[in-house]
Short mmCIF file of all heavy atoms in Angstrom, two decimals:
data_model
loop_
_atom_site.label_atom_id
_atom_site.label_comp_id
_atom_site.label_asym_id
_atom_site.label_seq_id
_atom_site.Cartn_x
_atom_site.Cartn_y
_atom_site.Cartn_z
N ARG A 162 114.25 102.19 85.81
CA ARG A 162 113.07 102.30 85.02
C ARG A 162 113.49 102.64 83.59
O ARG A 162 114.48 103.31 83.37
CB ARG A 162 112.11 103.34 85.51
CG ARG A 162 111.58 103.15 86.91
CD ARG A 162 110.57 102.01 86.94
NE ARG A 162 110.01 101.81 88.24
CZ ARG A 162 110.44 100.88 89.13
NH1 ARG A 162 111.41 100.12 88.82
NH2 ARG A 162 109.86 100.76 90.28
N ARG A 163 112.66 102.23 82.59
CA ARG A 163 113.08 102.45 81.23
C ARG A 163 113.18 103.94 80.89
O ARG A 163 114.05 104.36 80.14
CB ARG A 163 112.08 101.79 80.29
CG ARG A 163 112.24 100.26 80.31
CD ARG A 163 111.29 99.61 79.37
NE ARG A 163 111.40 98.14 79.59
CZ ARG A 163 111.47 97.25 78.66
NH1 ARG A 163 111.43 97.65 77.38
NH2 ARG A 163 111.56 96.00 78.91
N ARG A 164 112.29 104.74 81.41
CA ARG A 164 112.42 106.18 81.15
C ARG A 164 113.66 106.81 81.69
O ARG A 164 114.26 107.64 81.06
CB ARG A 164 111.18 106.92 81.69
CG ARG A 164 109.92 106.69 80.90
CD ARG A 164 108.81 107.56 81.37
NE ARG A 164 107.61 107.23 80.63
CZ ARG A 164 106.40 107.56 81.00
NH1 ARG A 164 106.21 108.27 82.09
NH2 ARG A 164 105.35 107.24 80.26
N ARG A 165 114.05 106.30 82.86
CA ARG A 165 115.31 106.78 83.48
C ARG A 165 116.47 106.30 82.65
O ARG A 165 117.45 107.04 82.51
CB ARG A 165 115.40 106.34 84.91
CG ARG A 165 114.42 107.08 85.81
CD ARG A 165 114.63 106.71 87.24
NE ARG A 165 113.71 107.47 88.07
CZ ARG A 165 113.71 107.46 89.36
NH1 ARG A 165 114.56 106.70 90.03
NH2 ARG A 165 112.82 108.17 90.02
N LEU A 166 116.41 105.11 82.11
CA LEU A 166 117.47 104.59 81.26
C LEU A 166 117.57 105.45 80.03
O LEU A 166 118.70 105.75 79.56
CB LEU A 166 117.29 103.13 80.90
CG LEU A 166 118.37 102.58 79.98
CD1 LEU A 166 119.75 102.58 80.68
CD2 LEU A 166 118.02 101.16 79.57
N ALA A 167 116.45 105.85 79.47
CA ALA A 167 116.50 106.74 78.31
C ALA A 167 117.26 108.01 78.58
O ALA A 167 118.02 108.48 77.74
CB ALA A 167 115.06 107.01 77.81
N ARG A 168 117.08 108.56 79.81
CA ARG A 168 117.80 109.77 80.16
C ARG A 168 119.30 109.43 80.29
O ARG A 168 120.14 110.28 79.90
CB ARG A 168 117.26 110.31 81.46
CG ARG A 168 115.85 110.86 81.31
CD ARG A 168 115.37 111.53 82.62
NE ARG A 168 113.97 111.75 82.51
CZ ARG A 168 113.08 111.11 83.27
NH1 ARG A 168 113.42 110.26 84.19
NH2 ARG A 168 111.77 111.35 83.13
N VAL A 169 119.64 108.26 80.79
CA VAL A 169 121.06 107.86 80.92
C VAL A 169 121.62 107.76 79.57
O VAL A 169 122.76 108.23 79.29
CB VAL A 169 121.17 106.52 81.72
CG1 VAL A 169 122.58 105.96 81.60
CG2 VAL A 169 120.78 106.72 83.16
N VAL A 170 120.92 107.15 78.61
CA VAL A 170 121.40 107.02 77.26
C VAL A 170 121.64 108.41 76.64
O VAL A 170 122.68 108.64 76.01
CB VAL A 170 120.42 106.19 76.38
CG1 VAL A 170 120.83 106.24 74.93
CG2 VAL A 170 120.37 104.72 76.89
N ASP A 171 120.71 109.29 76.83
CA ASP A 171 120.85 110.67 76.32
C ASP A 171 122.12 111.34 76.92
O ASP A 171 122.84 112.02 76.19
CB ASP A 171 119.66 111.54 76.62
CG ASP A 171 118.41 111.18 75.80
OD1 ASP A 171 118.62 110.55 74.75
OD2 ASP A 171 117.30 111.55 76.19
N ALA A 172 122.34 111.12 78.22
CA ALA A 172 123.43 111.82 78.88
C ALA A 172 124.82 111.16 78.52
O ALA A 172 125.82 111.87 78.51
CB ALA A 172 123.20 111.76 80.40
N PHE A 173 124.84 109.87 78.29
CA PHE A 173 126.13 109.21 78.19
C PHE A 173 126.42 108.55 76.82
O PHE A 173 127.49 107.96 76.67
CB PHE A 173 126.31 108.12 79.25
CG PHE A 173 126.42 108.69 80.63
CD1 PHE A 173 125.34 108.82 81.50
CD2 PHE A 173 127.69 109.09 81.10
CE1 PHE A 173 125.49 109.34 82.74
CE2 PHE A 173 127.82 109.62 82.35
CZ PHE A 173 126.74 109.72 83.18
N TYR A 174 125.49 108.70 75.89
CA TYR A 174 125.71 108.03 74.59
C TYR A 174 127.00 108.44 73.94
O TYR A 174 127.79 107.59 73.51
CB TYR A 174 124.53 108.29 73.67
CG TYR A 174 124.71 107.62 72.31
CD1 TYR A 174 124.35 106.30 72.14
CD2 TYR A 174 125.25 108.30 71.25
CE1 TYR A 174 124.55 105.68 70.93
CE2 TYR A 174 125.48 107.68 70.05
CZ TYR A 174 125.13 106.36 69.86
OH TYR A 174 125.34 105.75 68.67
N GLN A 175 127.25 109.72 73.83
CA GLN A 175 128.45 110.21 73.14
C GLN A 175 129.72 109.69 73.86
O GLN A 175 130.69 109.27 73.20
CB GLN A 175 128.48 111.73 73.09
CG GLN A 175 127.53 112.28 72.11
CD GLN A 175 127.79 111.79 70.68
OE1 GLN A 175 128.93 111.62 70.23
NE2 GLN A 175 126.75 111.55 69.94
N HIS A 176 129.67 109.69 75.18
CA HIS A 176 130.89 109.19 75.95
C HIS A 176 131.12 107.70 75.62
O HIS A 176 132.25 107.34 75.37
CB HIS A 176 130.63 109.43 77.43
CG HIS A 176 131.61 108.71 78.30
ND1 HIS A 176 132.91 109.06 78.41
CD2 HIS A 176 131.48 107.58 79.11
CE1 HIS A 176 133.56 108.23 79.22
NE2 HIS A 176 132.68 107.39 79.65
N VAL A 177 130.07 106.91 75.70
CA VAL A 177 130.21 105.46 75.48
C VAL A 177 130.65 105.18 74.07
O VAL A 177 131.59 104.42 73.81
CB VAL A 177 128.91 104.74 75.84
CG1 VAL A 177 128.95 103.23 75.40
CG2 VAL A 177 128.58 104.83 77.32
N TRP A 178 130.00 105.83 73.09
CA TRP A 178 130.34 105.58 71.67
C TRP A 178 131.79 106.01 71.42
O TRP A 178 132.54 105.32 70.77
CB TRP A 178 129.40 106.31 70.75
CG TRP A 178 129.62 105.85 69.33
CD1 TRP A 178 128.97 104.83 68.73
CD2 TRP A 178 130.52 106.40 68.37
NE1 TRP A 178 129.45 104.68 67.38
CE2 TRP A 178 130.41 105.63 67.19
CE3 TRP A 178 131.48 107.41 68.37
CZ2 TRP A 178 131.16 105.92 66.06
CZ3 TRP A 178 132.19 107.69 67.26
CH2 TRP A 178 132.04 106.93 66.10
N ALA A 179 132.18 107.21 71.89
CA ALA A 179 133.52 107.70 71.64
C ALA A 179 134.59 106.77 72.30
O ALA A 179 135.61 106.48 71.68
CB ALA A 179 133.70 109.13 72.17
N THR A 180 134.30 106.29 73.49
CA THR A 180 135.19 105.37 74.13
C THR A 180 135.34 104.07 73.34
O THR A 180 136.43 103.54 73.11
CB THR A 180 134.73 105.09 75.57
OG1 THR A 180 134.59 106.29 76.28
CG2 THR A 180 135.72 104.17 76.29
N ALA A 181 134.22 103.53 72.89
CA ALA A 181 134.21 102.34 72.13
C ALA A 181 134.96 102.50 70.79
O ALA A 181 135.73 101.64 70.38
CB ALA A 181 132.77 101.87 71.86
N TYR A 182 134.79 103.68 70.17
CA TYR A 182 135.47 103.93 68.94
C TYR A 182 136.99 104.02 69.13
O TYR A 182 137.78 103.49 68.37
CB TYR A 182 134.95 105.20 68.29
CG TYR A 182 135.54 105.43 66.90
CD1 TYR A 182 135.07 104.73 65.80
CD2 TYR A 182 136.57 106.37 66.73
CE1 TYR A 182 135.61 104.91 64.57
CE2 TYR A 182 137.12 106.58 65.46
CZ TYR A 182 136.62 105.82 64.40
OH TYR A 182 137.17 106.02 63.16
N ARG A 183 137.40 104.68 70.24
CA ARG A 183 138.84 104.75 70.54
C ARG A 183 139.42 103.36 70.78
O ARG A 183 140.52 103.05 70.39
CB ARG A 183 139.08 105.66 71.74
CG ARG A 183 139.04 107.12 71.39
CD ARG A 183 139.56 107.99 72.55
NE ARG A 183 138.90 107.80 73.85
CZ ARG A 183 137.79 108.40 74.21
NH1 ARG A 183 137.24 109.24 73.39
NH2 ARG A 183 137.31 108.17 75.39
N VAL A 184 138.65 102.50 71.44
CA VAL A 184 139.13 101.18 71.78
C VAL A 184 139.22 100.29 70.55
O VAL A 184 140.14 99.53 70.33
CB VAL A 184 138.29 100.53 72.90
CG1 VAL A 184 138.62 99.09 73.10
CG2 VAL A 184 138.47 101.31 74.19
N THR A 185 138.18 100.37 69.68
CA THR A 185 138.09 99.43 68.54
C THR A 185 138.62 100.04 67.27
O THR A 185 139.07 99.28 66.40
CB THR A 185 136.64 99.00 68.29
OG1 THR A 185 135.85 100.15 67.94
CG2 THR A 185 136.07 98.33 69.52
N GLY A 186 138.52 101.34 67.08
CA GLY A 186 138.94 102.01 65.86
C GLY A 186 137.99 101.71 64.68
O GLY A 186 138.28 101.92 63.55
N ASN A 187 136.77 101.27 65.02
CA ASN A 187 135.81 100.85 64.03
C ASN A 187 134.41 101.36 64.43
O ASN A 187 133.92 101.02 65.52
CB ASN A 187 135.83 99.31 63.93
CG ASN A 187 134.87 98.75 62.92
OD1 ASN A 187 133.75 99.22 62.77
ND2 ASN A 187 135.34 97.73 62.24
N ALA A 188 133.79 102.11 63.58
CA ALA A 188 132.48 102.73 63.93
C ALA A 188 131.38 101.64 64.11
O ALA A 188 130.56 101.78 65.00
CB ALA A 188 132.09 103.71 62.84
N ALA A 189 131.41 100.63 63.28
CA ALA A 189 130.40 99.54 63.39
C ALA A 189 130.54 98.80 64.75
O ALA A 189 129.56 98.55 65.44
CB ALA A 189 130.47 98.58 62.25
N ASP A 190 131.78 98.46 65.08
CA ASP A 190 132.01 97.78 66.38
C ASP A 190 131.65 98.72 67.53
O ASP A 190 131.11 98.28 68.56
CB ASP A 190 133.45 97.31 66.49
CG ASP A 190 133.72 96.13 65.57
OD1 ASP A 190 132.81 95.47 65.11
OD2 ASP A 190 134.95 95.89 65.34
N ALA A 191 131.97 99.99 67.41
CA ALA A 191 131.67 100.95 68.45
C ALA A 191 130.16 101.03 68.66
O ALA A 191 129.71 101.05 69.79
CB ALA A 191 132.22 102.32 68.09
N ALA A 192 129.43 101.02 67.57
CA ALA A 192 127.95 101.08 67.69
C ALA A 192 127.42 99.82 68.35
O ALA A 192 126.53 99.87 69.24
CB ALA A 192 127.33 101.26 66.28
N ASP A 193 127.97 98.63 67.99
CA ASP A 193 127.54 97.41 68.59
C ASP A 193 127.84 97.40 70.10
O ASP A 193 127.02 96.99 70.94
CB ASP A 193 128.16 96.19 67.94
CG ASP A 193 127.67 95.94 66.52
OD1 ASP A 193 126.60 96.47 66.18
OD2 ASP A 193 128.37 95.18 65.82
N ILE A 194 129.04 97.79 70.43
CA ILE A 194 129.44 97.84 71.86
C ILE A 194 128.57 98.82 72.63
O ILE A 194 128.16 98.51 73.76
CB ILE A 194 130.94 98.15 71.96
CG1 ILE A 194 131.78 96.98 71.49
CG2 ILE A 194 131.31 98.52 73.42
CD1 ILE A 194 133.21 97.25 71.32
N THR A 195 128.30 99.94 72.06
CA THR A 195 127.46 100.96 72.74
C THR A 195 126.07 100.40 73.02
O THR A 195 125.53 100.50 74.12
CB THR A 195 127.33 102.24 71.85
OG1 THR A 195 128.66 102.76 71.65
CG2 THR A 195 126.42 103.26 72.50
#
């Protein structure tokens, strides 16, 4: 459900963005990937 996904995003956003940033080395690409 969308509300549950919002909770997932709240819980895992930093993890996903940080992982994407480590992989790409680029904040814009990390944001797109997230």
